[in-house]
């Protein structure tokens, strides 16, 4: 869904699209809202969960805790559970935003207690961009391991950077050993990978501790490592002559579009272009790898 606003003279557009991202066993799925309103104003209401939103375009005004918030593009808005609030356009042209509704425990995985946010409007461009990217990609394709790797990590960062609760000591001894164990299991269970919770439990770790250890050792979260491992396997199938649509399910991608998205991220070309160039030129696998260094 395009986040862009309506052009001058066009009809008002009032759009709201909901999606849901799975977050593993014993954790409720996360509701994701993509909205664009020219005129719509929310009546006073509240949520049982936190509301964490990123303003994408335009300006929104929110009545909250006896005051009024004026929210512009790139701002993160954090509204606490049970707090009555409104929402509406702050100027002509409307506004667009992406929001997620995490239960309080999700924001407390990296802190010693449930966080409190004194200032509901957070200025953190790096985190805002990461939240928006995760929301966009998970709303379009809710891969369970990816959702469980990205969302708790980003929400923990939000709570640790901008909440009042003290961060947990997240040093995890033996990070390299933990990463090796996780990589081995993901490779063995390529087509039906375990959730982050299922990976953490046998190691006696929380989700957040597992993420911290894995990222410390490899520089990436488990879902990204798995995607790159799948791309490596996909290359061999493409070099053998299989079509991308045939390769995707063989290596665990949901469909050809999922394969293409990650193939381009890792190698810079589409699977079809890679297959055509390698098979057409007779380039050996190791010569392709040399160009990636």
């Amino acid at each position: 869904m395009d986040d862009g606003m309506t052009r001058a003279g066009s009809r008002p557009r009032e759009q709201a699209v909901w999606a849901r991202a799975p977050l593993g066993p014993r954790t409720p799925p996360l509701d994701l809202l993509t909205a664009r309103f020219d005129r719509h104003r929310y009546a006073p209401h509240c949520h049982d969960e936190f509301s964490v939103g990123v303003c994408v375009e335009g300006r929104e005004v929110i009545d909250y805790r006896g005051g009024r918030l004026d929210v512009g593009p790139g701002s993160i808005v954090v509204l606490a559970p049970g707090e009555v609030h409104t929402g509406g356009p702050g100027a002509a042209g409307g506004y667009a935003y992406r929001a997620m509704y995490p239960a309080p425990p999700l924001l407390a995985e990296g802190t010693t207690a449930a966080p409190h946010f004194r200032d509901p409007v957070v200025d953190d461009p790096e985190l805002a961009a990461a939240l928006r990217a995760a929301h966009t990609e998970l709303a379009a394709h809710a891969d369970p391991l990816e959702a469980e790797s990205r969302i708790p990590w980003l929400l923990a960062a939000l709570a640790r950077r901008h909440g009042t609760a003290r961060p947990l000591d997240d040093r995890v001894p033996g990070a390299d050993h933990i990463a090796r164990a996780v990589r081995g299991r993901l490779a063995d269970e390529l087509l039906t990978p375990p959730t982050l919770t299922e990976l953490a439990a046998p190691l006696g770790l929380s989700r957040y501790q597992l993420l911290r250890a894995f990222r410390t050792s490899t520089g990436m979260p488990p879902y990204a490592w798995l995607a790159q491992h799948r791309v490596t396997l996909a290359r061999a199938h493409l070099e053998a002559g299989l079509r991308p649509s045939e390769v995707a399910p063989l290596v665990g991608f949901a469909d050809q579009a999922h394969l293409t998205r990650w193939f381009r991220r890792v190698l810079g070309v589409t699977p079809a272009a890679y297959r055509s160039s390698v098979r057409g030129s007779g380039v050996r696998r190791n010569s392709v790898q040399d160009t990636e260094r």
Side-chain angles (χ1 to χ4, degrees):
M1 175 177 172
D2 182 12
D3 287 322
M5 307 304 295
T6 57
R7 291 186 175 88
S10 61
R11 291 195 311 169
R13 288 189 290 182
E14 314 295 294
Q15 298 181 350
V17 178
W18 289 88
R20 180 162 283 181
L23 292 176
R26 299 183 297 279
T27 302
L30 182 68
D31 286 331
L32 305 170
L33 171 63
T34 303
R36 176 176 53 222
F37 296 128
D38 285 354
R39 297 178 179 174
H40 177 72
R41 296 183 182 276
Y42 286 103
H45 66 287
C46 63
H47 307 281
D48 293 334
E49 311 83 8
F50 277 94
S51 173
V52 178
V54 178
C55 183
V56 171
E57 196 166 341
R59 300 200 73 84
E60 181 184 11
V61 293
I62 302 171
D63 294 321
Y64 182 71
R65 291 179 175 168
R68 172 160 288 194
L69 310 177
D70 184 358
V71 183
S75 294
I76 303 171
V77 181
V78 185
L79 307 180
E83 292 278 5
V84 175
H85 59 279
T86 64
Y95 63 107
Y97 69 98
R98 289 180 175 269
M100 57 185 68
Y101 300 89
L106 266 180
L107 278 91
E109 292 197 11
T111 57
T112 57
H116 171 72
F117 296 87
R118 293 193 183 98
D119 188 348
V121 180
V122 173
D123 180 19
D124 189 331
E126 179 186 20
L127 184 56
L131 284 167
R132 179 179 175 182
H135 188 295
T136 301
E137 293 174 18
L138 293 173
H141 179 83
D143 176 83
L145 182 61
E146 182 175 355
E148 200 180 7
S149 295
R150 295 179 78 170
I151 295 299
W153 182 263
L154 291 174
L155 293 177
L158 176 66
R160 290 163 67 96
R161 293 184 191 180
H162 303 288
T164 59
R166 185 164 57 88
L168 286 171
D169 180 359
D170 52 19
R171 291 171 295 182
V172 181
D176 290 342
H177 169 74
I178 292 167
R180 281 195 299 271
V182 171
R183 291 198 305 267
R185 188 168 175 192
L186 290 175
D188 289 343
E189 301 179 47
L190 181 74
L191 300 183
T192 55
T195 66
L196 202 64
T197 301
E198 291 167 341
L199 289 167
L203 299 171
L205 302 173
S206 69
R207 277 193 308 204
Y208 186 79
Q209 288 173 320
L210 178 67
L211 281 169
R212 172 62 69 183
F214 196 91
R215 293 175 74 116
T216 297
S217 177
T218 67
M220 66 182 74
Y223 81 90
W225 181 89
L226 177 59
Q228 294 197 26
H229 180 63
R230 286 169 167 167
V231 167
T232 299
L233 299 177
R235 290 175 66 179
H237 289 303
L238 292 167
E239 291 163 10
L242 272 67
R243 295 187 297 274
S245 59
E246 297 172 314
V247 171
L250 292 178
V251 298
F253 286 113
D255 50 33
Q256 184 175 339
H258 195 198
L259 166 65
T260 299
R261 175 160 66 94
W262 275 102
F263 210 90
R264 292 193 64 164
R265 284 185 179 181
V266 175
L267 297 180
V269 297
T270 66
Y274 177 82
R275 176 179 181 269
S276 176
S277 63
V278 172
R279 288 179 58 78
S281 64
V283 175
R284 297 192 310 274
R285 183 179 183 83
N286 59 356
S287 64
V288 173
Q289 290 173 334
D290 290 341
T291 67
E292 297 162 13
R293 296 193 182 107

